[in-house]
Amino acid sequence: MSPPLPRALRPKPRRPGDNGNGRNGPNGSTVAPPKPTVKDHALEGTASAVGWLDERTGLSPFLRGFLFRKVPKGTNWFYTLGSATLFAFLSQAVTGVFLAMYYEPDATRAYESASRITNEVFLGEFVRGMHKWGSSVMIILIFLHMARVFFFGAYKYPRELNWVIGVVLLVLTLLMGLTGYLLPFDQRSFWATVVAVNINASGPLVGPYLADFLRAGAEFGPTTIPRFYALHMLLVPGLIIALIGAHLYLVAKLGTTAPPWLKAEKKDLLTEEI
Amino acid sequence: MTRRTLMTGTALAAGGIATMAFALPGLGFALGPIFEDTTPTVWQDVGPQDDFNEDTYVPRVINITPEIGDAGKTTIYVRAFNRRRDRVIEGQDPQPYVAISTRCAHLGCPVRYIQASQKFVCPCHGGVYGFEGEVEGGPPVRPLDRFYTRVELGRVEIGDRFSLNSDLERFAPRDPSNHLDGLWQYLYPARPTT
C-alpha cells in the first residue's frame, strides 16, 4: 500500500454552481458550458502526459512511497545532511562534466589546460572554483551526515547494511579527493600525489604493487595522469552513483529513525503522518 | 538434475562467461603496467670527471621518465668515491662515483644537501641523512637511494637507481617507505617493474 496523497495534491470535488456541467445556472436553468481556457488545456495536457507515463511505467505508487513516506516525530534539520551531501555530489558531477570539456589529461598539457580554464574560458574560474571548493564541502557534509547517523543511533538494526554502504561511499568520496588532487598538476598536486602513492607503497606485500598500479609503473610516468583521471571521472563516480541508489533505496524501504531524545510512551506514538 | 536446474545453470554460466570475457581482459589491461619493466637502463652523461670531488656533492639534473617534461626530471647529488669516509661493502664493487637520489626514503619528497653540516635534509617531515646518505634522524626507514655510476671517456655517467639497507648493502630499487633491514626486506619485495 502506498501512502495517500497529501491534502494539497488531492483532486478537489466540484462545488455546486461553479462548474460547467450545464445544469446549475441561476434558478435551476440550464446555461451553456463555458469555453475551456488556455489554462484548462494546459492542465488537461499535463495530466494526460503524466497519465500516459504512469500507465506505462507504474511509477506513481513507487514515487508516492518514496516522496510521501511517513517520518517519525522529532525529525529535524539534522536529517537533511544526507540530502545535502547528495546535492554536493550532484554539483561535483555537473561541474566535473563541464571541466572535462576543457581539461587535457596529459603531463605536459594538464597544468596549462587547467590554468586556461581559470584564466581564459568564460566562467571557467567560477566552475573550477565550484568544483574545487565543492569537493571540500562534500567531504565536510559527508562527515557531518555520518556523525548525525552515529549520534542518533540510526545505524542500529535493521539499518546496519546502510551504514556499511555509507562507509564505502565515504571511502569512495575520499578516493575522489585523492585522485582529483593530482589533476591541476601544479607543484602541490604533484608532490602530494607522490607522497600519497608512497603511503600506499608502505603497506607490506601488496603496498609496492598498489603503488605501481596507481602510477602505472615504477615511476611517475606519461600514463599516470590519464590513470588518475579515468579513476576520478569514470570508475569512482560510477560506483558512487550505484551505491547512492542502494543507499536511498534502503532509506525509503526502512524509513528513518526518531531522534534518541524521544521516548515512546505507546508503541505506535512515534509514527505520525505528515 | 531437473530440466529447470539445467536451464538455470546454463543461463547463469552463459552470463558469467560473457561477463568474464570482457571483465578479465579489461582488468588485465588496467593491471598490465604492474608486470612490465618501465624503467629501461639508460646511461646519462652528467659532466667531465673534473666537475666532481671527494668532499662535496655537486647537484645534477637527470631524466627519470622521458616525454613528460619537468615532472620526469629529478635532481641527484654526485661526488667522487671517498676512500677515507666511504664504507666498502664486502661482495659488491664500489662505484667510482657516489650519485645520491634526492628522493626521501620516507615518502618521496625531494631532499636538499646542506654543505655546512654535510647533511641531506627533507622539507616535508624532517628526515635527516648524513654524508653517505645514511639516516641520522626523522622518519626515513632506510638510507637515500643511489644510482650506478661509470666513467666513459673521462665523463661521468649515471645508470639505474638502487636502494640500500642501513648497512649500505645494495637492493633492487624500492619505493620510499619500504624497509630493507632484516626480515622487513621480504615484506617489501622487489617488483617486476624495476
Side-chain angles (χ1 to χ4, degrees):
Chain A
M1 271 295 281
S2 58
L5 280 172
R7 195 179 301 275
L9 291 182
R10 282 179 209 154
K12 291 182 182 61
R14 293 195 159 161
R15 301 170 70 174
D18 66 348
N19 62 18
N21 68 4
R23 291 209 185 84
N24 290 308
N27 308 323
S29 67
T30 307
V31 290
K35 279 190 175 174
T37 60
V38 178
K39 190 185 160 202
D40 291 333
H41 278 302
L43 286 176
E44 186 90 0
T46 314
S48 72
V50 170
W52 190 92
L53 270 179
D54 190 37
E55 201 176 337
R56 281 153 187 82
T57 56
L59 263 179
S60 90
F62 169 76
L63 282 178
R64 225 184 271 182
F66 188 71
L67 294 173
F68 305 126
R69 62 181 190 276
K70 293 173 181 179
V71 296
K73 236 178 209 168
T75 295
N76 55 54
W77 281 101
F78 289 112
Y79 288 70
T80 60
L81 286 167
S83 308
T85 314
L86 173 65
F87 276 90
F89 173 73
L90 291 179
S91 154
Q92 293 304 95
V94 170
T95 51
V97 165
F98 294 130
L99 286 171
M101 293 177 178
Y102 294 94
Y103 178 72
E104 297 170 64
D106 177 278
T108 56
R109 303 277 310 138
Y111 177 75
E112 252 177 80
S113 64
S115 64
R116 203 164 65 84
I117 289 173
T118 300
N119 297 319
E120 287 169 35
V121 179
F122 177 63
L123 285 182
E125 200 178 5
F126 186 61
V127 174
R128 186 177 166 188
M130 285 207 289
H131 199 73
K132 185 221 162 114
W133 295 106
S135 63
S136 299
V137 169
M138 185 173 168
I139 301 274
I140 292 167
L141 286 174
I142 202 170
F143 272 109
L144 289 176
H145 175 53
M146 190 185 201
R148 197 287 289 175
V149 170
F150 180 77
F151 287 116
F152 281 31
Y155 55 86
K156 292 175 186 171
Y157 177 85
R159 300 183 179 80
E160 302 98 322
L161 180 61
N162 223 12
W163 173 269
V164 171
I165 293 174
V167 169
V168 177
L169 278 168
L170 172 69
V171 171
L172 289 174
T173 305
L174 295 176
L175 200 55
M176 287 297 277
L178 179 85
T179 50
Y181 207 84
L182 173 67
L183 301 181
F185 209 50
D186 48 20
Q187 288 286 331
R188 186 204 301 254
S189 327
F190 177 77
W191 289 109
T193 304
V194 164
V195 167
V197 168
N198 287 328
I199 290 173
N200 279 284
S202 68
L205 296 177
V206 291
Y209 296 98
L210 185 58
D212 278 358
F213 169 76
L214 287 169
R215 277 185 305 236
E219 300 288 349
F220 193 101
T223 50
T224 308
I225 290 186
R227 183 163 282 244
F228 271 62
Y229 188 51
L231 291 175
H232 184 73
M233 65 175 274
L234 296 170
L235 184 66
V236 182
L239 291 173
I240 287 183
I241 289 169
L243 286 177
I244 284 178
H247 204 66
L248 286 183
Y249 167 76
L250 285 181
V251 167
K253 172 102 182 152
L254 302 171
T256 49
T257 48
W261 54 77
L262 281 191
K263 297 267 182 289
E265 286 160 19
K266 279 196 236 154
K267 229 182 178 176
D268 54 350
L269 199 66
L270 286 181
T271 315
E272 180 195 46
E273 187 188 328
I274 55 159
Chain B
M1 181 188 274
T2 64
R3 183 175 179 279
R4 181 175 295 258
T5 52
L6 178 72
M7 297 305 275
T8 310
T10 312
L12 287 177
I17 289 168
T19 309
M20 287 302 120
F22 65 79
L24 289 181
L27 201 62
F29 183 63
L31 295 178
I34 296 184
F35 303 106
E36 58 184 335
D37 187 350
T38 50
T39 53
T41 304
V42 180
W43 289 93
Q44 296 182 56
D45 187 339
V46 290
Q49 282 179 285
D50 295 344
D51 281 6
F52 308 102
N53 62 65
E54 293 183 0
D55 298 312
T56 184
Y57 284 97
V58 179
R60 286 287 185 266
V61 175
I62 62 166
N63 262 313
I64 287 192
T65 314
E67 293 166 20
I68 60 167
D70 287 342
K73 294 189 169 75
T74 189
T75 303
I76 59 170
Y77 285 105
V78 187
R79 65 168 166 82
F81 181 79
N82 187 321
R83 278 170 210 295
R84 286 168 292 113
R85 299 177 70 174
D86 276 322
R87 276 175 264 179
V88 177
I89 310 301
E90 251 181 76
Q92 61 187 43
D93 51 324
Q95 296 289 304
Y97 286 83
V98 176
I100 301 253
S101 163
T102 53
R103 183 176 296 173
C104 181
H106 176 222
L107 290 173
C109 288
V111 298
R112 194 157 54 95
Y113 182 64
I114 312 285
Q115 170 59 23
S117 58
Q118 302 207 333
K119 292 189 195 317
F120 295 90
V121 179
C122 181
C124 288
H125 312 104
V128 179
Y129 306 84
F131 187 66
E132 286 182 278
E134 74 280 12
V135 179
E136 289 200 347
V141 295
R142 61 164 203 263
L144 288 169
D145 290 351
R146 298 185 183 187
F147 292 85
Y148 286 103
T149 55
R150 72 178 184 190
V151 178
E152 287 284 302
L153 302 171
R155 297 185 73 86
V156 179
E157 293 189 339
I158 305 294
D160 281 339
R161 182 168 64 92
F162 59 87
S163 295
L164 308 139
N165 67 8
S166 48
D167 296 326
L168 300 189
E169 289 165 339
R170 268 176 226 159
F171 286 83
R174 300 297 209 277
D175 272 326
S177 77
N178 292 5
H179 302 246
L180 279 178
D181 292 325
L183 291 175
W184 283 108
Q185 58 181 292
Y186 303 109
L187 289 179
Y188 297 99
R191 298 152 296 151
T193 47
T194 53

